[in-house]
Structures are given as C-alpha cells and as structure tokens.
Amino acid sequence: MRPTIALALLALTGCGAGVKVTRLGPDRGLAPRPADCQVEMLYKTTTRPHEEIAELETHVTNVPKEGALSVLREPACRLGADAVIVTRNFVTNMFGHTMVAGTAVRWVAEPSSPFPEDVKPVPTSD
C-alpha cells in the first residue's frame, strides 16, 4: 500500500483515533467509493461469495451518535468494500471507550451456470 493512502486511512475516523488497516493479500486496485457510501455491517460470516480486502481496527473514545461501528464506514468505502464483517465491538471501560474491528469485504459474482435456466444437463449413466 502506498504510504500516502495509509496515512489518509489513519486520519479518517474524526474521533481522535486512527483506523488501523491491514491489507489481506495484494492491492487489487479496487476503485474507492464515496466516503459516505453504504456499507453493510454484518455480525457474522456470510455465505454470499466475497473477497476479503483488509482488516480494520480502532479504539473509539468519543462514540459518534451513529455508533462506534460507524467509524469503520469511511475507511471501508475508500478501500472499495461493500461490507464489513464485524469481529469486535465492545466497551472496554466505564467511560465508554469502545474497541471495534472487522474485515472489509467486497461481493463477487457467483459463477453462472453453463446452461440456460430452461435447459438442464442430461445425467450420464456409467
């Protein structure tokens, strides 16, 4: 990852803490999405075909009114992600300090059937 991109991603939360971004695999050159894009927050792994882009992690001291997970939205959008699979979201002390983390993913198209819907393959007998 380019140093300028890494620095920009660290400054995105606006809550006094940066979001640590750990790329999973090579940079795939995904186009960044607008900073206010819609990103699904999933609380369990999905069976929908997806590709993991990066791990996101931060500590939130001043929780925004949208909730602590909202600080992951902008970095996920900038990475080109469609969703974040939440791996951590818990308050760590009596002052409301919150730890949030997740895996940024993008949806991939399922392979299409080689047969049209109205044509079914003929079973072969051995």
Side-chain angles (χ1 to χ4, degrees):
M1 179 185 329
R2 295 182 204 141
T4 54
I5 294 173
L7 291 174
L9 289 172
L10 288 174
L12 291 175
T13 64
C15 295
V19 174
K20 178 183 173 188
V21 177
T22 305
R23 285 253 182 205
L24 301 173
D27 184 355
R28 294 171 184 84
L30 296 174
R33 298 173 63 202
D36 61 347
C37 75
Q38 295 297 315
V39 173
E40 295 179 66
M41 293 293 172
L42 307 173
Y43 293 92
K44 62 181 182 176
T45 302
T46 179
T47 58
R48 183 174 178 184
H50 63 277
E51 177 179 45
E52 295 181 348
I53 301 170
E55 294 292 336
L56 308 174
E57 179 181 320
T58 191
H59 297 266
V60 183
T61 303
N62 299 317
V63 178
K65 64 181 179 180
E66 299 84 20
L69 288 174
S70 67
V71 302
L72 299 180
R73 176 173 285 106
E74 191 171 350
C77 289
R78 293 206 186 274
L79 289 167
D82 296 309
V84 173
I85 301 171
V86 178
T87 56
R88 287 183 293 251
N89 181 18
F90 58 88
V91 177
T92 61
N93 63 32
M94 66 184 197
F95 301 107
H97 182 94
T98 305
M99 164 64 162
V100 292
T103 304
V105 299
R106 75 173 185 96
W107 305 128
V108 294
E110 294 187 50
S112 60
S113 171
F115 303 100
E117 287 185 30
D118 59 339
V119 176
K120 302 293 180 205
V122 176
T124 58
S125 58
D126 292 334

